[in-house]
Amino acid sequence: MYNLAEKIFPICRSITGNGVRLTLEYLKEEFADMKIYEVPTGTQVFDWNVPKEWNIREAYIENSKGEKIIDFKDNNLHVMGYSLPIDCDMTLEELKKIIYTQPDQPDWIPYVTSYYKERSGFCMSENQKNALQEDVYHCVINSELREGSLTYGEVLLKGDTEKEILLSTYICHPSMANNEVSGPVVTIELAKWLASLEKRKYTYRIIFIPETIGAITYLSRHLDIMKKNTIAGFVLSCVGDNRIYSMVETRYGNTLTDKLLKNVLRYHYPNYKLYDFMHRGSDERQYNAPGVDLPVCAVCRSKYGEYPEYHTSADDLSLISEEGLQGTFELMKKCIRALEYNCYYKVNCLCEPQLGKRGLYPTISQKGSYDAIVDMRNLLAYADGKNDLIDISNQINCSIDMLIPIIDKLEENGLIEKSDLSE
Amino acid sequence: MYNLAEKIFPICRSITGNGVRLTLEYLKEEFADMKIYEVPTGTQVFDWNVPKEWNIREAYIENSKGEKIIDFKDNNLHVMGYSLPIDCDMTLEELKKIIYTQPDQPDWIPYVTSYYKERSGFCMSENQKNALQEDVYHCVINSELREGSLTYGEVLLKGDTEKEILLSTYICHPSMANNEVSGPVVTIELAKWLASLEKRKYTYRIIFIPETIGAITYLSRHLDIMKKNTIAGFVLSCVGDNRIYSMVETRYGNTLTDKLLKNVLRYHYPNYKLYDFMHRGSDERQYNAPGVDLPVCAVCRSKYGEYPEYHTSADDLSLISEEGLQGTFELMKKCIRALEYNCYYKVNCLCEPQLGKRGLYPTISQKGSYDAIVDMRNLLAYADGKNDLIDISNQINCSIDMLIPIIDKLEENGLIEKSDLSE
Amino acid sequence: MYNLAEKIFPICRSITGNGVRLTLEYLKEEFADMKIYEVPTGTQVFDWNVPKEWNIREAYIENSKGEKIIDFKDNNLHVMGYSLPIDCDMTLEELKKIIYTQPDQPDWIPYVTSYYKERSGFCMSENQKNALQEDVYHCVINSELREGSLTYGEVLLKGDTEKEILLSTYICHPSMANNEVSGPVVTIELAKWLASLEKRKYTYRIIFIPETIGAITYLSRHLDIMKKNTIAGFVLSCVGDNRIYSMVETRYGNTLTDKLLKNVLRYHYPNYKLYDFMHRGSDERQYNAPGVDLPVCAVCRSKYGEYPEYHTSADDLSLISEEGLQGTFELMKKCIRALEYNCYYKVNCLCEPQLGKRGLYPTISQKGSYDAIVDMRNLLAYADGKNDLIDISNQINCSIDMLIPIIDKLEENGLIEKSDLSE
C-alpha cells in the first residue's frame, strides 16, 4: 500500500480538476472495475452548486535577482487552493497581504483554500515570511478557473442481499499523506479484498469523492437507494500513521456502525479514542445530516484536526507507513467480517443443550474443568433471539473474532439457528 | 426590590388574617392588576378545610416588677402562630411549659406554629429562657381565632397561547427575610417585567398564597385548567440571600421544568445545588402530589431547611440583599426567555447548508478557521426536529443565551424553521 | 438446622441413587407433606435423557501389606462419582492414571464426577498421591450402574392466588457442607415457616432436586404452569457459612426477583456481593435458559466457585454454623415478607392528606418537628399507582421492613389503597 501512496502523493488535487482525475486513474489501475463520473459545473446539489473547475500548471514568487523564493514544483501547498491566475510585480508590503502562514507552527507551510470566494494567495512557513526582504517580487500563478466538472469514482460489489455497506474516502487534498493519500490507498485495498471473497452477504458501495461538495453531490444522486439499503458505513480518513486508532460517532452514537466499531475497537485496540459527533469533520457531516440520517462513522488513526502535522507540509510521507496502513486494513476487515456474521442467533432447545454427547464438553467434572468452554456456554445462554452477535459479544465479554469459530461449531451441531438482520 | 422587602418585613403574617391582607396590598401597589380573593373558613379543599382566621393585636410577658421581658412589638416571632388569647399570671414552672426555644441555636428565637391544634405559646431564645428567675409572670396574648377567610393574590398575564407557566410564592410567615419576603418581592418584580414584554408566547399564572393550605385551596379551585395548560412552573422561596443557587426536582425529576432549570443553572451557575424530591418542603409538595402532577420545581438560593438561620429570628433583613434578590430575578428571566424561545427546530435543506453564500462562513479555509462558527454548525447538525432548544443546548454544550442570536440569524436566512412545543 | 445438617452430611449422594432417597427421607421427617417422585432411566427430558442409576457399597485401595491407603468409608469423596465397579491389582503407574487430585490445593481431596462417560476413578490429596510408593495395589470399587430412576422431592403450599414463588435447592453432592447440605436444610426450614403462616398471598413451589439433570427433568414436567405462574424464584446453594451474602442476577438482571433481592440486600446486608449472569453455576442456568425465562436468582453466602474450600473435602461441617444457616433463613423471610406485601399503592386523595386530624402528624410545627414522619410523607408522595413497594423503598431510601408498619397505619386510616401485582 505504501508504494501506491508514494505514487499519488505528489499530485496536486483539489475539489475539482485534473489532479482528481489522475488520482482516480492510478486507483483504477489497482481495481479496474471502478467507474468514474463527471458532474458539470453549476449542477444544483441540494443547497449547493457544483463549482467551477480549477487547474494549475505552475506558480512561483521570484525576487529581483531572479531567484525563485517559492515554487509550486517544490511543494504544491505553496499555492492557496482555487487561486485565480496572477502575473505581476509586488512590493513586499503588497505581497504579504496574499501570503498565508500558520504562525503557531512557524516551520511548516499551511494548507489553505478559498473555494467559494475568488482570490489568489501563496502559502509559506511563518519563518520564511518573516525573513523576506524589501524587494520587488514577481508573482506568478498560472491557473485556470472555468466551467468544467467535478469528478468521482465508485465501486459497487454486489452481495446476496441488496442491503449495503458504505465505504467513503476523499481525493481532494494536495500533497498530504495521512490526511489524504492514506484514505484512498486503504480503501482500494479493501475493495480488492472484498472482490476476492467467495461470498458476500452484503453489497458494498465504495466511493472516492472530493470532501464536502463531493459527498453532497454523490448524496444528491443516490440518497433514496442509500437510505433504503445502507445498514452501516465508514468514512476512512487519516488512516496511515502508526499512532492510536479513533472513531467519530454518528449524530446520536446509537447506530449499528457505532455499536460495531466500539465493540471491535474495545477488544482489539482498547486504548482507542472515541470522539462524539461534536468532533466530526469529514464527510460523516453530510451522511449524518438531518434528513440524510445514514449510519456512518468516521474511522481514523490520528484523527483530523487532532495531530500537530494536520493540514501542513509536515503531513508528508514520513508520517505514514506500511504498518500504519496495514493496521487500518486489518481493523476494517475485522469490522466487515463481524458485519457479515452478524445476525440474531437462537438456541434450538429448551434448557441447556447436552454438549457432552456432541463432544463439546469435558467428560470429567472438577473445579476448573469448564473454563475452556465458558465462551460457548455464555453464547448459548444469550442466544435467545433478542441479541445480535455484537450484543452477545458485549454481554459475555468475548470478541467476535473468538465467537465466530464457536458459532460455526454450534451451527454444525444444529444447536443454534440464525435470523438475518436484513430480513 | 430591597426597599419593598423592608416594607413588608415587619408585618405579622400567618396562614390567614390581616397580615396576609396587608402584604397583598403592598404588592398590589407595585402591580395594580393583581386580584385578591377570600375563601371562607370551613370551605372543604380536598382532604382539608380552610381553618379559622387568626389575628393578633399585642402580646407580652411581664415580670412582677412590671418589666416586659418579651414583647410581640419587638419581634412577632415571640408568639407561637395561631396562639389562643390568654391573660393570666403564671409561675416560672407554669410559664416554661408554654415557652418554645431552639436549644441547638441558643441565641435565636425560633419560628413555631400550631395551626391545627388550639393552644397558646411564647417563643424566645434558649439563653433568655434559661436566665428567667422564679417570679409570677403576667402573660398576655391579645389574639382572636374565629370564622373568617383565607386570602390570596393572583396575577394572570395572557400570552399568545393558553399554555401556562406558573410562578408561585407564599405570604404566610411573620418577620423572616429570606424564608418569606424574598419570594413575593422577586415574584412581583417578575410580574412587572413580564407585563412589560411586547410579546409573550405563554400565559403566566402568578400566585401569592399561604403555604400548604393556600396551595391546596388554590389547586382545589383551578386544578383542571392548570393540569390542562401548565407546561412549567416554579415555586420561589428563599431567593434573597447571596449564597449559592439551588433547585428541587419534581417527583421524578423528568419534566420540562427540571430540564430547563438544570440547563440554565449548569451554564450560568455551575456550582448550584440540585436537590431531589426527597428534599421538597414548600408548595412543590402539593403541585407534585399524585394526581396533581404539575411540572413544578422549587427555586431557591440557600434552600429552606438547609441554612442555619432558617425559621429563626436570625433570618432577618441582614440576610438578604439587593444583589441576592437581583440574582434570582436574572436567573428567572433567563429561564423564562429560554422557555419562550424553546421549540423543536428543523433545518430546511438536506446535507449541510452552504453558509458561505449567505455570509455566515469564513471564505478562507485553514486550520482553526471554523472555530468561530462551531456553535452554529452544531446547532444545525442537531436541528432535526427531534430536539427542543434545551436538548440542543445540552447536546452541543452551548448555553441557550448564546444560541438565541444564532437562531435569529438562521431564521432570517430561512435555514431553520420551528415547530411549537405547545402545538 | 445444624443438627439436621449433621444428619445428612455423611450420606453419599449423587445425581441418582439411594443417597438421594435417604436424604429426602430425612427431609420428609421434618416436613411430612413433601412428595417424592421417581423418573425412570432413559426418559427424554428436553435435549437430555435421565441417566442410569448409580449406587455404591464400598471402595478402597489396599497396598501389598493389606493396609487400606484410602477407604470410601472414611470420606466418600475418595471415589469419583459414577465410577464403574472394579476389583483388580494395579502397579503404581497404572493406579496414578485413575487418581484425581487438586494440585493447587495439595492437602484436600477434590470432588470429581464423570456422569456421562463411563470410567472409574479415585480421588485423594495431591500430597498423598505424591507420597505413594512403588507397589502392587488392590483396587476395589463395589458400585453398580444400571437402569433405575432419578429421585426428587416437592412441597406445594397453596396461597390465595395461583401465582407462585419458587424455592429450589439440590441434593446430589456427597459429603460437602456449604455446597450441599446447607441448601436443603435452610429450604426445609422455610417450608415449615411458610406452612405455619396464617395467610399466604402466593403459592410456594419448593423443590429438592439433583442439580442440572434434576432441574431439566423437573422443568420438562412443569414448564407450562411455571411459566404461567412464577413471579419470583430463588436457587438456594452454599447458604450455611458465616461469610458475606451474595446473589446471582437473572439473564438480564431485570426481573422482580433481581429487584427484590437487591433491595433487601442493600438495606440489610450492604456489603453483599452482586454477581451477574456470567457467574451463574447452579440451577439458575436452567431456569434462565432462553425459552424457559423464569425470574430466578441464586442466593448464596460464599458463592459456589468463589471460596477456597469449594468442591473439596475442606467443605466440611466446620465450614457452616447455626448462625450461618439462620442468617440465610432470616434473609429469605425478609424477601418473602416483602413479596407478600408488594403491590402498587395509591394515595386516596388529591394533594397531601391532612395527617394531623388523624393523629399521624406533630401538632406543633418547628424546625425538625417532621423528622419522625419523613418516611410516611415520602411513601405518600410516591404512592401514585406507578410504583410497587420495592420501587418506593428504593426511591425514598427506606427499607421495606420499615415501610410495612407505615403501610398498615395508612391503610387503617383509609389513606392508601393497593392494586395487586398479580391481577
Side-chain angles (χ1 to χ4, degrees):
Chain A
M1 283 186 272
Y2 193 80
N3 291 346
L4 178 60
E6 284 179 317
K7 267 196 243 170
I8 66 175
F9 180 78
I11 303 170
C12 179
R13 283 163 292 269
S14 186
I15 53 173
T16 60
N18 293 325
V20 179
R21 287 190 193 94
L22 183 55
T23 304
L24 288 172
E25 269 167 48
Y26 276 115
L27 295 173
K28 201 171 158 65
E29 279 176 22
E30 298 287 319
F31 192 83
D33 285 347
M34 178 191 286
K35 297 228 170 87
I36 296 173
Y37 296 89
E38 302 278 349
V39 184
T41 297
T43 307
Q44 166 125 29
V45 290
F46 297 132
D47 192 47
W48 303 62
N49 295 86
V50 172
K52 290 182 185 160
E53 178 174 331
W54 183 69
N55 284 294
I56 179 165
R57 271 171 299 266
E58 60 166 355
Y60 55 84
I61 302 173
E62 220 172 46
N63 64 16
S64 57
K65 297 176 193 152
E67 298 161 346
K68 289 193 173 151
I69 61 161
I70 60 169
D71 193 338
F72 173 76
K73 280 199 199 80
D74 300 332
N75 193 321
N76 54 32
L77 293 176
H78 275 314
V79 178
M80 168 189 268
Y82 263 61
S83 277
L84 292 183
I86 55 174
D87 185 344
C88 59
D89 288 344
M90 289 187 176
T91 63
L92 178 59
E93 195 187 4
E94 287 165 341
L95 179 59
K96 279 188 168 175
K97 288 184 184 151
I98 62 164
I99 290 179
Y100 298 87
T101 64
Q102 192 77 26
D104 54 332
Q105 299 180 319
D107 292 327
W108 299 343
I109 312 163
Y111 167 54
V112 184
T113 65
S114 179
Y115 298 136
Y116 297 98
K117 167 147 185 184
E118 298 192 353
R119 50 162 72 89
S120 301
F122 294 99
C123 304
M124 62 178 67
S125 74
E126 174 74 6
N127 288 341
Q128 184 174 15
K129 177 182 164 193
N130 291 340
L132 290 179
Q133 310 281 328
E134 291 292 343
D135 199 352
V136 173
Y137 292 93
H138 183 55
C139 302
V140 172
I141 298 178
N142 185 351
S143 68
E144 197 174 45
L145 186 65
R146 58 172 176 86
E147 304 291 305
S149 59
L150 175 150
T151 316
Y152 66 82
E154 179 194 71
V155 172
L156 280 180
L157 297 170
K158 289 281 170 200
D160 295 342
T161 78
E162 287 191 327
K163 293 292 169 194
E164 291 185 359
I165 293 169
L166 173 71
L167 301 178
S168 174
T169 193
Y170 52 80
I171 45 161
C172 61
H173 294 66
S175 296
M176 288 183 292
N178 199 38
N179 182 37
E180 173 64 20
V181 303
S182 68
V185 159
V186 170
T187 306
I188 204 74
E189 193 73 11
L190 284 166
K192 287 156 69 176
W193 172 71
L194 282 163
S196 77
L197 295 178
E198 274 184 32
K199 190 176 156 56
R200 283 182 303 272
K201 182 158 79 174
Y202 295 111
T203 293
Y204 289 81
R205 182 180 295 271
I206 307 169
I207 60 179
F208 304 82
I209 55 179
E211 211 177 13
T212 304
I213 185 66
I216 294 168
T217 300
Y218 192 86
L219 282 168
S220 77
R221 300 179 142 209
H222 301 284
L223 183 60
D224 288 349
I225 187 86
M226 290 171 79
K227 286 194 72 161
K228 178 163 165 266
N229 287 338
T230 307
I231 65 150
F234 307 87
V235 169
L236 282 93
S237 164
C238 305
V239 293
D241 67 325
N242 254 347
R243 294 177 282 205
I244 57 158
Y245 292 89
S246 53
M247 65 170 280
V248 182
E249 289 182 311
T250 62
R251 194 152 92 249
Y252 296 108
N254 61 355
T255 72
L256 176 62
T257 312
D258 296 278
K259 188 168 78 168
L260 171 79
L261 273 169
K262 289 175 203 171
N263 176 283
V264 172
L265 288 163
R266 164 158 87 106
Y267 285 115
H268 299 286
Y269 313 93
N271 65 340
Y272 83 98
K273 197 147 169 38
L274 176 67
Y275 292 96
D276 69 20
F277 195 60
M278 295 303 99
H279 294 82
R280 72 199 178 283
S282 186
D283 287 329
E284 70 278 7
R285 284 156 38 216
Q286 311 310 326
Y287 299 128
N288 284 281
V292 178
D293 300 326
L294 293 174
V296 180
C297 291
V299 173
C300 308
R301 298 199 64 149
S302 294
K303 195 183 87 73
Y304 42 78
E306 306 283 341
Y307 61 98
E309 304 88 350
Y310 173 74
H311 271 200
T312 73
S313 53
D315 186 353
D316 61 21
L317 283 167
S318 71
L319 198 65
I320 67 170
S321 66
E322 186 62 31
E323 291 72 22
L325 299 161
Q326 194 68 34
T328 310
F329 180 59
E330 293 301 328
L331 163 64
M332 289 306 301
K333 284 204 293 185
K334 277 187 206 300
C335 289
I336 289 168
R337 263 197 303 255
L339 281 171
E340 290 274 324
Y341 252 89
N342 193 39
C343 62
Y344 291 87
Y345 289 98
K346 198 166 177 349
V347 67
N348 274 328
C349 64
L350 287 168
C351 291
E352 290 180 337
Q354 192 180 359
L355 297 174
K357 69 184 182 191
R358 296 173 177 97
L360 299 172
Y361 207 75
T363 56
I364 292 176
S365 166
Q366 182 177 355
K367 189 148 70 165
S369 57
Y370 305 129
D371 294 355
I373 53 156
V374 65
D375 295 331
M376 180 182 287
R377 295 179 88 188
N378 284 342
L379 188 154
L380 284 166
Y382 285 92
D384 57 6
K386 290 172 200 150
N387 295 298
D388 68 15
L389 187 57
I390 309 169
D391 297 329
I392 293 177
S393 165
N394 288 336
Q395 185 91 39
I396 74 176
N397 206 20
C398 177
S399 76
I400 292 176
D401 265 17
M402 290 176 69
L403 288 178
I404 285 175
I406 297 175
I407 284 172
D408 289 343
K409 224 181 273 182
L410 292 173
E411 284 193 318
E412 281 162 30
N413 281 277
L415 284 173
I416 56 169
E417 60 188 25
K418 51 177 71 159
S419 115
D420 203 315
L421 281 175
S422 65
E423 284 167 311
Chain B
M1 285 185 271
Y2 193 80
N3 292 347
L4 178 59
E6 284 179 316
K7 267 196 242 171
I8 65 175
F9 179 78
I11 302 170
C12 180
R13 282 163 293 268
S14 185
I15 52 173
T16 60
N18 293 326
V20 179
R21 288 192 192 93
L22 182 57
T23 304
L24 288 172
E25 268 168 48
Y26 276 116
L27 296 173
K28 202 170 157 66
E29 278 176 22
E30 298 287 320
F31 193 83
D33 285 346
M34 176 192 286
K35 297 230 170 85
I36 296 172
Y37 296 89
E38 302 279 348
V39 184
T41 297
T43 306
Q44 165 124 29
V45 290
F46 297 132
D47 192 47
W48 303 61
N49 294 86
V50 172
K52 289 182 186 160
E53 179 175 331
W54 183 69
N55 284 294
I56 180 165
R57 270 170 300 266
E58 61 166 356
Y60 56 84
I61 301 173
E62 219 173 45
N63 64 16
S64 58
K65 296 177 196 153
E67 296 160 347
K68 288 190 174 152
I69 60 161
I70 61 168
D71 192 340
F72 174 75
K73 279 197 200 84
D74 299 332
N75 193 322
N76 52 34
L77 293 175
H78 276 313
V79 177
M80 167 189 268
Y82 263 60
S83 278
L84 293 183
I86 54 173
D87 186 343
C88 59
D89 288 345
M90 288 186 175
T91 63
L92 178 57
E93 194 187 3
E94 287 166 341
L95 178 60
K96 278 188 168 176
K97 289 184 183 149
I98 62 164
I99 289 179
Y100 297 86
T101 65
Q102 192 77 27
D104 56 331
Q105 299 181 319
D107 291 326
W108 299 343
I109 311 163
Y111 167 53
V112 184
T113 65
S114 179
Y115 297 136
Y116 297 100
K117 167 146 185 184
E118 297 192 352
R119 51 163 71 89
S120 301
F122 292 99
C123 303
M124 62 178 66
S125 73
E126 174 74 5
N127 288 341
Q128 185 174 15
K129 177 181 163 193
N130 291 338
L132 289 179
Q133 309 281 328
E134 290 293 342
D135 198 351
V136 172
Y137 291 95
H138 183 55
C139 302
V140 172
I141 299 178
N142 185 353
S143 68
E144 196 175 45
L145 186 65
R146 59 171 176 87
E147 303 291 304
S149 60
L150 176 150
T151 315
Y152 66 82
E154 179 193 71
V155 172
L156 281 179
L157 296 170
K158 289 281 168 201
D160 295 342
T161 79
E162 287 191 329
K163 293 292 168 194
E164 290 186 0
I165 293 170
L166 173 70
L167 302 178
S168 174
T169 193
Y170 52 80
I171 45 160
C172 61
H173 294 66
S175 295
M176 287 183 293
N178 200 37
N179 181 38
E180 173 64 21
V181 303
S182 69
V185 159
V186 169
T187 305
I188 203 75
E189 193 74 10
L190 285 166
K192 287 155 70 175
W193 172 72
L194 282 162
S196 78
L197 295 178
E198 276 184 31
K199 191 176 155 53
R200 283 183 302 271
K201 183 159 77 174
Y202 295 112
T203 292
Y204 289 81
R205 182 181 295 271
I206 307 169
I207 60 179
F208 304 82
I209 54 179
E211 212 178 12
T212 305
I213 186 66
I216 294 168
T217 300
Y218 192 86
L219 282 168
S220 76
R221 299 178 142 211
H222 301 284
L223 183 60
D224 289 349
I225 187 86
M226 290 171 79
K227 286 194 76 161
K228 179 163 167 264
N229 287 338
T230 307
I231 66 149
F234 308 86
V235 168
L236 283 94
S237 165
C238 304
V239 294
D241 67 324
N242 253 347
R243 294 177 281 204
I244 58 159
Y245 291 89
S246 53
M247 65 170 280
V248 182
E249 288 182 311
T250 62
R251 194 152 92 249
Y252 295 108
N254 60 356
T255 71
L256 176 62
T257 313
D258 295 280
K259 188 168 80 168
L260 171 79
L261 273 170
K262 289 175 203 173
N263 176 282
V264 173
L265 287 164
R266 164 158 88 105
Y267 286 115
H268 298 287
Y269 313 92
N271 65 341
Y272 83 99
K273 196 144 170 43
L274 177 67
Y275 292 96
D276 69 21
F277 195 59
M278 294 303 99
H279 294 82
R280 71 199 179 283
S282 185
D283 287 329
E284 68 278 8
R285 284 156 38 215
Q286 312 310 326
Y287 298 129
N288 284 280
V292 177
D293 300 326
L294 294 174
V296 179
C297 291
V299 172
C300 308
R301 297 199 66 149
S302 295
K303 195 184 87 72
Y304 42 77
E306 306 283 340
Y307 61 98
E309 303 88 349
Y310 173 74
H311 271 200
T312 72
S313 53
D315 186 352
D316 61 20
L317 283 167
S318 71
L319 197 66
I320 67 171
S321 65
E322 187 62 31
E323 292 72 23
L325 298 161
Q326 194 69 32
T328 309
F329 179 61
E330 292 301 329
L331 163 64
M332 289 306 301
K333 284 204 294 184
K334 279 186 204 301
C335 289
I336 288 168
R337 263 197 303 255
L339 281 171
E340 291 273 325
Y341 252 89
N342 194 38
C343 62
Y344 291 87
Y345 289 98
K346 198 166 178 348
V347 66
N348 274 329
C349 64
L350 287 167
C351 292
E352 290 180 338
Q354 191 178 0
L355 297 173
K357 68 184 181 190
R358 296 174 177 95
L360 299 173
Y361 207 75
T363 56
I364 293 175
S365 167
Q366 182 177 355
K367 189 147 70 165
S369 57
Y370 305 129
D371 295 354
I373 54 155
V374 65
D375 294 331
M376 180 182 285
R377 294 180 88 188
N378 285 341
L379 189 154
L380 284 166
Y382 285 91
D384 57 7
K386 290 172 199 149
N387 295 299
D388 67 16
L389 187 56
I390 309 169
D391 297 329
I392 293 177
S393 165
N394 288 336
Q395 185 91 40
I396 74 177
N397 206 19
C398 177
S399 76
I400 292 176
D401 265 17
M402 290 176 69
L403 289 178
I404 285 175
I406 297 175
I407 284 172
D408 289 344
K409 225 182 271 182
L410 292 173
E411 285 193 318
E412 280 162 29
N413 281 276
L415 285 172
I416 56 169
E417 58 189 26
K418 51 176 74 160
S419 114
D420 203 315
L421 282 175
S422 65
E423 284 167 312
Chain C
M1 284 187 272
Y2 193 79
N3 292 346
L4 178 60
E6 284 179 317
K7 268 195 242 172
I8 64 175
F9 179 78
I11 303 170
C12 180
R13 282 163 294 268
S14 185
I15 54 173
T16 60
N18 294 326
V20 179
R21 287 191 193 94
L22 183 56
T23 305
L24 289 173
E25 269 167 48
Y26 276 116
L27 295 173
K28 201 171 158 64
E29 277 176 22
E30 299 287 319
F31 192 83
D33 284 347
M34 178 193 285
K35 297 230 171 87
I36 297 173
Y37 296 88
E38 301 279 348
V39 185
T41 297
T43 307
Q44 166 124 29
V45 289
F46 297 132
D47 193 45
W48 303 62
N49 294 87
V50 172
K52 289 184 186 157
E53 179 174 330
W54 183 69
N55 284 295
I56 180 164
R57 270 171 299 267
E58 61 165 356
Y60 57 83
I61 302 173
E62 220 173 45
N63 64 16
S64 58
K65 295 178 197 153
E67 296 161 349
K68 288 192 173 151
I69 61 161
I70 60 168
D71 192 339
F72 174 75
K73 279 197 200 84
D74 299 333
N75 193 322
N76 53 33
L77 293 175
H78 275 314
V79 178
M80 168 189 269
Y82 263 61
S83 277
L84 292 183
I86 55 173
D87 185 343
C88 61
D89 288 345
M90 288 186 174
T91 64
L92 178 58
E93 196 187 2
E94 287 166 340
L95 179 59
K96 279 189 167 174
K97 288 184 184 150
I98 61 163
I99 289 179
Y100 297 87
T101 65
Q102 192 76 27
D104 55 332
Q105 300 181 319
D107 291 326
W108 298 343
I109 311 163
Y111 167 54
V112 184
T113 64
S114 179
Y115 298 136
Y116 297 99
K117 166 147 185 184
E118 297 191 353
R119 51 162 71 88
S120 302
F122 293 100
C123 304
M124 63 177 66
S125 73
E126 174 75 5
N127 288 341
Q128 184 175 14
K129 178 182 164 192
N130 290 339
L132 289 180
Q133 310 280 329
E134 290 293 342
D135 199 352
V136 173
Y137 292 93
H138 183 55
C139 302
V140 172
I141 298 178
N142 185 351
S143 68
E144 197 175 44
L145 186 64
R146 58 170 176 86
E147 304 291 305
S149 60
L150 175 150
T151 315
Y152 66 82
E154 178 194 71
V155 172
L156 280 180
L157 296 170
K158 290 281 169 201
D160 295 342
T161 80
E162 288 190 327
K163 293 293 168 194
E164 289 185 1
I165 292 169
L166 173 70
L167 302 178
S168 174
T169 194
Y170 53 78
I171 45 160
C172 61
H173 294 66
S175 296
M176 288 184 291
N178 200 36
N179 181 38
E180 173 63 22
V181 303
S182 70
V185 159
V186 170
T187 306
I188 204 75
E189 193 74 10
L190 285 166
K192 286 154 71 174
W193 172 71
L194 282 163
S196 77
L197 295 178
E198 275 183 31
K199 192 177 154 54
R200 285 182 300 273
K201 182 158 77 174
Y202 295 112
T203 292
Y204 288 81
R205 182 181 295 271
I206 306 170
I207 60 179
F208 304 82
I209 54 178
E211 212 177 13
T212 304
I213 186 65
I216 294 169
T217 300
Y218 192 86
L219 283 168
S220 76
R221 300 177 143 211
H222 301 284
L223 183 60
D224 289 350
I225 187 86
M226 289 170 80
K227 286 194 75 161
K228 180 163 166 265
N229 287 339
T230 307
I231 66 150
F234 308 86
V235 169
L236 283 93
S237 165
C238 304
V239 294
D241 67 324
N242 252 348
R243 294 177 281 205
I244 58 159
Y245 292 89
S246 53
M247 65 170 280
V248 182
E249 287 182 312
T250 62
R251 193 150 94 249
Y252 295 108
N254 61 356
T255 71
L256 177 61
T257 313
D258 295 279
K259 188 168 79 169
L260 171 79
L261 272 170
K262 288 174 203 171
N263 175 283
V264 172
L265 288 164
R266 164 158 87 105
Y267 286 115
H268 298 287
Y269 314 93
N271 65 340
Y272 84 99
K273 197 145 169 40
L274 176 68
Y275 292 97
D276 69 20
F277 196 60
M278 294 303 99
H279 294 82
R280 72 198 179 284
S282 185
D283 287 329
E284 69 278 7
R285 286 156 37 217
Q286 312 310 326
Y287 298 127
N288 284 280
V292 177
D293 301 326
L294 293 174
V296 179
C297 292
V299 173
C300 307
R301 298 199 65 149
S302 295
K303 194 184 88 72
Y304 43 77
E306 306 283 340
Y307 61 97
E309 304 88 349
Y310 173 74
H311 271 200
T312 72
S313 53
D315 187 352
D316 61 20
L317 284 167
S318 70
L319 198 66
I320 67 170
S321 65
E322 186 62 30
E323 292 71 23
L325 298 161
Q326 193 69 33
T328 310
F329 179 61
E330 292 301 328
L331 163 64
M332 289 306 301
K333 285 204 293 185
K334 278 186 204 301
C335 289
I336 289 168
R337 264 196 303 256
L339 281 171
E340 290 273 325
Y341 252 89
N342 193 39
C343 62
Y344 291 87
Y345 289 98
K346 197 165 180 346
V347 67
N348 274 329
C349 65
L350 287 167
C351 291
E352 291 180 336
Q354 192 180 359
L355 297 172
K357 69 184 181 190
R358 296 172 178 97
L360 299 172
Y361 207 75
T363 56
I364 293 176
S365 168
Q366 182 177 355
K367 189 149 70 165
S369 57
Y370 306 129
D371 295 355
I373 52 156
V374 65
D375 295 331
M376 179 182 286
R377 295 179 88 187
N378 285 340
L379 189 154
L380 284 166
Y382 285 91
D384 58 5
K386 290 173 199 149
N387 295 298
D388 68 16
L389 186 56
I390 310 169
D391 297 330
I392 293 177
S393 164
N394 288 336
Q395 186 90 40
I396 74 175
N397 206 19
C398 178
S399 76
I400 292 176
D401 265 17
M402 289 176 69
L403 289 177
I404 285 176
I406 296 175
I407 284 172
D408 289 342
K409 225 181 272 183
L410 293 173
E411 284 193 318
E412 280 161 30
N413 280 277
L415 284 173
I416 56 169
E417 58 188 27
K418 50 176 75 160
S419 114
D420 203 316
L421 283 174
S422 64
E423 284 167 312

